[in-house]
Amino acid sequence: MKLSKIIIGGCLIGTSFFVSCQQNSEVMAEEAKAQTELKEEPKEEKTLKMKEASELALLMRSMYEENLEIRKGIMEGEIPKSFPEDFVKIHSAQSNENLNETFYALAEQYTANLEAITAAKTKEEGIKAYNGMVNTCASCHTIYCQGPLPKIKKMRIPAPGES
Ligand code: HEC
């Protein structure tokens, strides 16, 4: 019993580091529920099945991190010449979600947005193209996996005077 508690605790801590598809509040409610269940039914062995991060989820995490680096560069006037090659895996990566044509159409738009960033000639064009890409992230995330949406919206580069 003690061991399983430790294992479950470890899993829960593990999940909180990522902005997963579930809203944070939902995750927290589930954690709280799991904990009370453990207290109320001490004899019953509870196994919490962790959904393993899919290939697409792992790609998304790196897209998030790396696009923040790109954001920093653009704000300093550096337009990236190219993108990490693995970004195109968005078209083929295996996912936990049921992906349909809308997903693939938005994924096309996303890679077109990336190309538009590399084609930008000025900082202003770079910012516009970068924000266009963030909009595509957000569009797709209003359909799939709403959890990261607030974080995605914060990735936009505000126009001068805007915050
Ligand atoms: C074409 C649709 C689409 C686009 C564009 C898209 N995403 Fe996602 N994203 C998804 C789907 C679907 C998942 C769920 C993947 C899964 O769990 O299998 C996901 C998952 C995520 C996750 C959660 C990963 C985890 O730990 O579970 C993050 C964070 C994320 N996306 C960030 C981004 C960012 C940042 C961008 C833009 C730079 C972006 N996404 C663009 C569809 C998209």
Side-chain angles (χ1 to χ4, degrees):
M1 186 59 226
K2 254 193 189 143
L3 185 64
S4 75
K5 231 182 197 169
I6 292 165
I7 292 168
I8 291 166
C11 282
L12 291 174
I13 290 163
T15 54
S16 2
F17 288 128
F18 299 107
V19 199
S20 73
C21 294
Q22 279 169 297
Q23 302 283 358
N24 275 345
S25 55
E26 275 177 39
V27 174
M28 272 151 70
E30 258 178 43
E31 286 178 12
K33 197 171 150 228
Q35 274 161 10
T36 47
E37 274 173 10
L38 276 172
K39 268 182 215 142
E40 282 162 14
E41 302 156 40
K43 276 182 195 118
E44 202 181 316
E45 286 291 326
K46 290 260 170 204
T47 43
L48 250 180
K49 241 190 156 183
M50 289 295 306
K51 238 211 233 169
E52 230 176 275
S54 67
E55 197 188 340
L56 187 63
L58 295 175
L59 172 65
M60 290 284 162
R61 288 175 199 173
S62 74
M63 272 171 28
Y64 176 69
E65 298 294 336
E66 289 175 63
N67 276 314
L68 283 181
E69 288 302 309
I70 287 162
R71 179 185 195 270
K72 223 190 272 168
I74 291 176
M75 287 174 86
E76 284 159 14
E78 281 166 41
I79 309 292
K81 300 268 176 304
S82 64
F83 275 90
E85 245 168 63
D86 65 344
F87 280 16
V88 299
K89 282 196 203 143
I90 189 171
H91 303 297
S92 58
Q94 155 279 324
S95 171
N96 287 331
E97 306 273 327
N98 267 326
L99 307 176
N100 65 14
E101 283 125 66
T102 315
F103 173 87
Y104 293 103
L106 285 166
E108 284 296 336
Q109 198 177 318
Y110 172 73
T111 43
N113 287 143
L114 295 177
E115 276 165 32
I117 295 174
T118 59
K121 300 227 162 36
T122 61
K123 181 180 169 183
E124 287 65 37
E125 280 178 22
I127 292 177
K128 212 173 146 207
Y130 170 87
N131 283 340
M133 176 206 65
V134 176
N135 286 345
T136 306
C137 304
S139 301
C140 198
H141 276 268
T142 55
I143 309 171
Y144 296 100
C145 182
Q146 280 100 8
L149 207 46
K151 272 204 146 177
I152 290 174
K153 287 188 175 155
K154 283 199 195 119
M155 288 170 77
R156 294 187 78 249
I157 299 175
E162 201 183 296
S163 61

